[in-house]
Amino acid sequence: MTAPRSQAVDEPIDPDVDPPTRRRSWRAQRPIVAVVALGGAVGASARYGALLLWPAPAGTFPWTTLWVNAAGCAVIGVFMVVITDVWVAHRLVRPFFGTGVLGGFTTFSTYAVDIQKLVDAGHARTGLTYLAATPLAALAAVWLAVTTTRRVLAWRQR
């Protein structure tokens, strides 16, 4: 067993241990956490609204969640191209809209629950189809959105 050693005067302070550094770090992160939370509430509310407007009957393919996830991925594709290639955004725009709104709008948890419900209800084939279709639709949507946005921007610059 080793006895604790005292810290020498000229020894550097470990930022992982120094409480004042942690407090300063948290203060710098507060605005980011706040805008992500606010954006997440907006996005999750929009997703909930979509599920209320277009409910999927139990045991059927959850089209609404699939389209919400694909649409959210398409929007994030456009958004990321615009804020990285075209527009210098305020430092809180990306956390608010990209992480918060679109992170709250798209949903892995509902996707997973939908699959579990389908399998539990004896609709394993539908669940497996949905399991494969959602990531394929999401990847296709983001790729198509990024590609199209870049082409439109290149065309406009001519």
Side-chain angles (χ1 to χ4, degrees):
M1 188 159 162
T2 328
R5 67 184 170 101
S6 62
Q7 191 171 18
V9 175
D10 60 344
E11 194 172 318
I13 296 173
D14 184 354
D16 293 332
V17 178
D18 182 29
T21 302
R22 276 197 302 251
R23 278 193 293 274
R24 282 191 304 272
S25 176
W26 169 243
R27 265 182 256 164
Q29 295 297 317
R30 266 191 259 182
I32 296 169
V33 171
V35 297
V36 168
L38 179 62
V42 170
S45 297
R47 174 177 26 97
Y48 181 69
L51 292 170
L52 288 177
L53 287 172
W54 302 289
T60 64
F61 195 89
W63 286 105
T64 304
T65 305
L66 178 114
W67 289 116
V68 160
N69 285 335
C73 287
V75 172
I76 205 162
V78 171
F79 175 69
M80 294 308 288
V81 169
V82 169
I83 69 165
T84 56
D85 296 356
V86 177
W87 178 49
V88 177
H90 184 276
R91 72 181 190 94
L92 296 178
V93 169
R94 188 178 194 167
F96 171 74
F97 191 70
T99 305
V101 174
L102 293 174
F105 184 65
T106 59
T107 172
F108 182 77
S109 58
T110 303
Y111 162 69
V113 169
D114 286 344
I115 294 166
Q116 185 64 49
K117 284 181 182 177
L118 287 167
V119 171
D120 288 348
H123 304 284
R125 255 188 249 160
T126 304
L128 287 172
T129 302
Y130 179 55
L131 177 70
T134 295
L136 290 174
L139 289 170
V142 76
W143 176 82
L144 185 62
V146 167
T147 303
T148 303
T149 303
R150 286 191 175 140
R151 285 185 181 170
V152 167
L153 291 172
W155 174 76
R156 288 189 68 191
Q157 289 177 350
R158 287 186 210 176

